[in-house]
Every structure is written in structure tokens, then in C-alpha cells.
Amino acid sequence: MRLVHLDLKGAAPRVSYLEQVFPLLSQLGANGVLIEYEDMFPFKGELEVLRSPYAYSEEDIERIQQLAEQHKLEVVPLVQTFGHVEFILKHEKYQHLREVERFPNSFNPHVPDTLALLKSILSQVIEKHRRSTWIHIGADEVFHLGEGMDSKNWMSHNKGDVGTMFLKHIKEVLGFLTAQYWGLRVLMWDDMLRKISVGALRVALVARACPAAVPFLTKYVESGFEAVWFASAFKGTTGPAQAWTPLSYHLKNHLSWLKVMQAVPRLAPLRLQGVVLTGWQRYDHYSVLCELLPVSIPSLAICLQTLVNGGFTEEAKRKVLDVLGLESVQLEQSTCEGRGAFPGVEIYHMVEQVNGHLKESILKALEEESAIKGWFSPYHRKRQFGNPRNMESFGSKVLKLHEDWESFVRDLRAQLERIYFPDTVEEWMEENVNPYLDQLRDLVRDYR
């Protein structure tokens, strides 16, 4: 299986954009999507407080699944059940379930309310995904686990360590899922398991229920796992505020995974069940946005085709260019030549402009223009005096630069609004455009 991860905890696209993207995923060789809804899920009743103001409706969730079915994509919902639960624990209503009172990252596994809450969250998500045969329970990066008083007490009374405590909670979650939803298969990330001994894993027998996603293969064979998944990345791993996707970096990541895949047959009876191409949109609920989905589509295409063809072969390259409507791809420069014909290609080109020229052209105008430095300094601007003769020497140039960027940004905003909800558009502009454009706007205002 080749699942593409849609991380909706930031820049969740409108369903109308997914209508264009799903056929593309299928064409490029994906056969599933891993959907991390977080606060975009239409939680109801007791859980309504968890919903984002722009959350998908129940009809949207149904439409997403119809689209997936139409394009032969398996839908795997992802519900975090231990760490990365800031979207839940930031609410006053659930604050008492934090492992460490000050931090909203992780659940306290010793409070009965934790499991009760997880059961109702999982039930609501699974009820709306009756076609899905898989669910992913997250369970990565459970920060500060073992630091809360309840955990310290538990460990001292049970001669336990953080590993056994982690497994105990995971077993409870799995117990609920297997009892309640017969035949539903469970995935989880494996970073927390890496620190746990083979003996503890065997005893917990989590192994039977849970394919892991890992390079620590021999350890998992010895622990009794029958199948593993790998997790690569096509975007969202090269920096929390990354705006442009580095192509060769992500291609190399997939080439490395292909080498690991070649080693799997030697580890029989373990078998490789699938790959998740992760595409993080935020590092966590509180961090800024990394690359937008339209910006990373060339990377996704290259990575998927590399997996399909067992390398970035001529055939893979040709297919990428054909499907995306491009003339060529420069891997080292992370650029594409040609107009492109993929969903969101306008945003792709415009973000390239912002990334490559906006900051540079504005700082150049403001800092290298000696007439501005000499006759229109912060001192002049604050006291509102200056020599018109010298001001006129840079005026028309600065006004033109300002006008050009303002008109460009209006177009960019319009394109973003077609794909994204208002909060995303605002956030992206404030992060990537305003810090530079505002300096120019202020100068033009003072100049006038």
C-alpha cells in the first residue's frame, strides 16, 4: 500500500481542492490516504469544543470518502491517542487530563477520564468511516511521559518504567478497538517502541495487533511483529517554517527507504505491508505552517513514482513531467520548468516568487538606496522632514515596487482563497508576506 498523508492540523484544503487532488494521487501511484483530521473533524455533542470554526461538515467527510472510493484510494483515519493532543488538552475542559499540568502535549494515562474521552473520540471518527479497514492511533512523541505525579507513583508501585507504562495505555486503546470494531486493523508510529526492550514488547503482545513503521526491523521480528510499514516524507520535515520543498532531499529519503525495502525479504516471516508518504503541515498544533500542499506536489509526484518504479528512473521522470504538465525538473535547485497543469499550480508559481524575490527586492530597495539611507532615514521619517529634491530621486522607483507587489499579493490572496479557508490565508500572509511588504508599505506611507 502507498498512502499519502494529509495533515489537516494546518492549511486544511477545501473539499473542492481534494476533488482535483485525489485523481492525481491515483494517477501517480498512490492507493490510499492517511487523513489526520485533528480539529477539522466535525465532532459533536460533548466533543464539539474540539472543532475548528472551519471544520469539515459531516457531508464533507462523506464526500471525501466517495472521492477516495472513486479513485481507488483506501482511507485510513489517524487519531492521536497519547501524544500530540494539544488540540484537545489546550481546552480548559480537558486540562485535567494532561500528563504535566503546564504542557498540553500528552495525556495522563492514569486518569480514567482519559480512556473514556479517547473512546468517544475514536467512536465518532470510526462511525463516520465505516468503509475503512484500518485506523492509525498515532502514539508518537509522547513528550514528558513519566514526569507527572501520577506516573511517578505508578512506576514506583509497579516496579515499572516509562516503556511498560506506555504499552499499558496502548494496550487499553487496542483492547477497546478490537472489542468494539471487529476486523479493524491498527497502525501506530514506532518511535516510542524503539526504546522498549524485545522482552517487554513480547509480553505486551501489542505486536499482533499493530504493524509498526520502522527501520529497527530485527528487533521487531524478535518481538513477534508480522508486518511493518515504512514512513517516508514528501514535505514538512526540513524546518517548521519551510515554505519551499527541497526536491533532492525528499527524493534521497525515498531512495534510502527503497534500500531498506530490499532488505525485508531476508527478515521473513516479517513482511512489508505499505509505505506512508508523510506530508506534515505543522510540527505540532501550535507551530507555524510548513510548505503548502500545492507547493509540494512536484515532490510528491517524484516520491510516489520513485516508489512505483523502484528508483527515479527515466520512466518515472517522464511520468512525473507528463502528469504535472512540466518540461523539466531541476532536482538540486528544487525548481520545475514549464507552466504546469496540476491542481494549485498558480499557487506553486506565486509562492516561488514570494520565496525567491519578495524579501530580497524589498530589502534591496530599502537598504541599498543611498538616497533613502541619507535623506529619508528613520530619523527623518519620525520627525517628518526631508529635502524633496533627494526624495524625488528614489520616490518613483519605490512607488512602482510597492504597486507591483501589492497587485501581485492581491492575485496570490485570490488564488489561496480558492483552495483554503480564511484563517489559513491570513496566517500564510502574515508569516511569509507581511514582514517584508509592511516595511515597504510604511516607507511609502511616510514618503507620501
Side-chain angles (χ1 to χ4, degrees):
M1 291 175 79
R2 289 182 289 267
L3 307 185
V4 173
H5 172 224
L6 297 175
D7 179 16
L8 305 182
K9 64 178 163 285
R14 297 175 186 272
V15 177
S16 53
Y17 184 62
L18 296 178
E19 286 175 358
Q20 301 173 287
V21 169
F22 279 18
L24 181 76
L25 298 183
S26 178
Q27 245 181 316
L28 288 167
N31 49 21
V33 281
L34 175 68
I35 306 186
E36 185 163 355
Y37 287 106
E38 208 172 268
D39 58 1
M40 287 302 290
F41 188 82
F43 290 109
K44 49 181 205 252
E46 272 290 276
L47 301 177
E48 203 166 327
V49 64
L50 302 178
R51 287 168 72 145
S52 149
Y54 298 102
Y56 294 141
S57 65
E58 293 188 13
E59 294 70 36
D60 290 336
I61 302 288
E62 181 51 35
R63 177 81 187 112
I64 289 170
Q65 289 175 92
Q66 285 168 357
L67 285 168
E69 210 168 14
Q70 230 172 307
H71 300 288
K72 304 191 171 41
L73 299 168
E74 171 99 25
V75 175
V76 180
L78 187 154
V79 177
Q80 284 287 4
T81 54
F82 213 163
H84 281 298
V85 282
E86 298 91 345
F87 83 103
I88 300 170
L89 298 182
K90 70 177 183 182
H91 295 285
E92 210 176 313
K93 181 175 180 179
Y94 299 118
Q95 216 167 330
H96 65 290
L97 302 181
R98 295 175 177 188
E99 167 71 358
V100 174
E101 205 180 328
R102 285 185 309 150
F103 304 136
N105 303 64
S106 309
F107 277 125
N108 172 349
H110 311 285
V111 192
D113 286 3
T114 293
L115 195 61
L117 174 63
L118 281 173
K119 286 178 178 176
S120 56
I121 289 175
L122 286 162
S123 304
Q124 287 200 16
V125 173
I126 294 167
E127 287 307 320
K128 292 274 167 264
H129 291 83
R130 294 317 294 218
R131 305 177 183 74
S132 297
T133 54
W134 294 89
I135 186 159
H136 195 309
I137 59 167
D140 56 321
E141 298 186 331
V142 188
F143 299 135
H144 308 291
L145 183 61
E147 290 174 23
M149 275 323 293
D150 289 351
S151 288
K152 287 180 174 155
N153 287 337
W154 186 89
M155 289 188 293
S156 66
H157 290 108
N158 294 275
K159 297 191 181 61
D161 57 10
V162 173
T164 26
M165 200 167 65
F166 172 80
L167 290 175
K168 178 179 170 292
H169 177 71
I170 295 301
K171 259 183 96 171
E172 287 172 345
V173 171
L174 290 174
F176 164 72
L177 289 170
T178 44
Q180 207 62 31
Y181 302 100
W182 195 83
L184 186 64
R185 288 177 291 175
V186 185
L187 286 162
M188 65 184 280
W189 304 122
D190 86 303
D191 54 289
M192 298 296 290
L193 299 178
R194 291 180 203 181
K195 310 179 187 88
I196 298 173
S197 69
V198 171
L201 284 174
R202 286 197 82 102
V203 170
L205 278 177
V206 171
R208 287 199 183 147
C210 244
V214 283
F216 284 54
L217 297 174
T218 37
K219 171 177 172 177
Y220 293 126
V221 177
E222 288 163 26
S223 305
F225 283 91
E226 289 152 19
V228 288
W229 289 60
F230 295 148
S232 60
F234 69 91
K235 78 176 189 85
T237 55
T238 53
Q242 183 79 16
W244 195 250
T245 311
L247 296 178
S248 63
Y249 179 92
H250 291 288
L251 171 58
K252 282 178 192 138
N253 177 245
H254 285 77
L255 295 174
S256 307
W257 277 114
L258 283 170
K259 288 201 183 90
V260 182
M261 286 174 200
Q262 286 154 9
V264 174
R266 298 202 293 276
L267 294 163
L270 190 73
R271 66 183 201 286
L272 174 64
Q273 202 152 28
V275 181
V276 174
L277 294 87
T278 63
W280 304 99
Q281 192 56 79
R282 294 189 197 281
Y283 278 31
D284 75 20
H285 185 77
Y286 284 92
S287 66
V288 297
L289 296 168
C290 10
E291 311 100 297
L292 296 172
L293 189 53
V295 168
S296 61
I297 281 183
S299 171
L300 176 56
I302 288 167
C303 296
L304 269 170
Q305 276 298 303
T306 296
L307 292 179
V308 171
N309 290 283
F312 193 48
T313 57
E314 277 309 309
E315 194 180 340
K317 196 172 186 172
R318 204 169 44 245
K319 174 93 176 193
V320 167
L321 297 177
D322 284 353
V323 172
L324 301 186
L326 295 166
E327 283 154 34
S328 69
V329 167
Q330 308 302 321
L331 291 172
E332 289 310 321
Q333 291 78 38
S334 299
T335 54
C336 300
E337 270 62 70
R339 295 230 358 227
F342 55 89
V345 69
E346 303 82 4
I347 290 176
Y348 176 86
H349 289 309
M350 291 173 113
V351 171
E352 191 171 20
Q353 288 295 314
V354 168
N355 207 45
H357 305 298
L358 175 72
K359 176 179 176 179
E360 196 187 334
S361 72
I362 290 175
L363 295 183
K364 194 172 170 190
L366 301 189
E367 284 168 15
E368 289 179 17
E369 181 65 67
S370 68
I372 292 182
K373 273 192 148 47
W375 281 270
F376 201 54
S377 73
Y379 181 82
H380 292 98
R381 289 167 63 182
K382 193 170 167 187
R383 289 165 183 74
Q384 299 190 341
F385 80 100
N387 187 334
R389 177 178 172 273
N390 301 78
M391 284 170 65
E392 276 170 17
S393 71
F394 65 80
S396 56
K397 201 156 61 173
V398 165
L399 291 175
K400 167 121 178 59
L401 182 69
H402 174 246
E403 189 37 57
D404 289 351
W405 276 120
E406 289 290 11
S407 118
F408 173 86
V409 165
R410 277 194 296 276
D411 293 347
L412 171 59
R413 188 179 273 279
Q415 291 296 344
L416 287 169
E417 282 167 354
R418 288 173 47 190
I419 293 182
Y420 293 111
F421 298 103
D423 57 340
T424 300
V425 178
E426 228 28 70
E427 180 180 352
W428 199 87
M429 290 303 213
E430 280 189 34
E431 284 293 326
N432 299 284
V433 172
N434 299 354
Y436 313 108
L437 197 48
D438 283 349
Q439 295 178 44
L440 185 58
R441 287 167 174 155
D442 291 349
L443 184 94
V444 166
R445 183 198 60 213
D446 292 353
Y447 174 83
R448 288 208 165 105

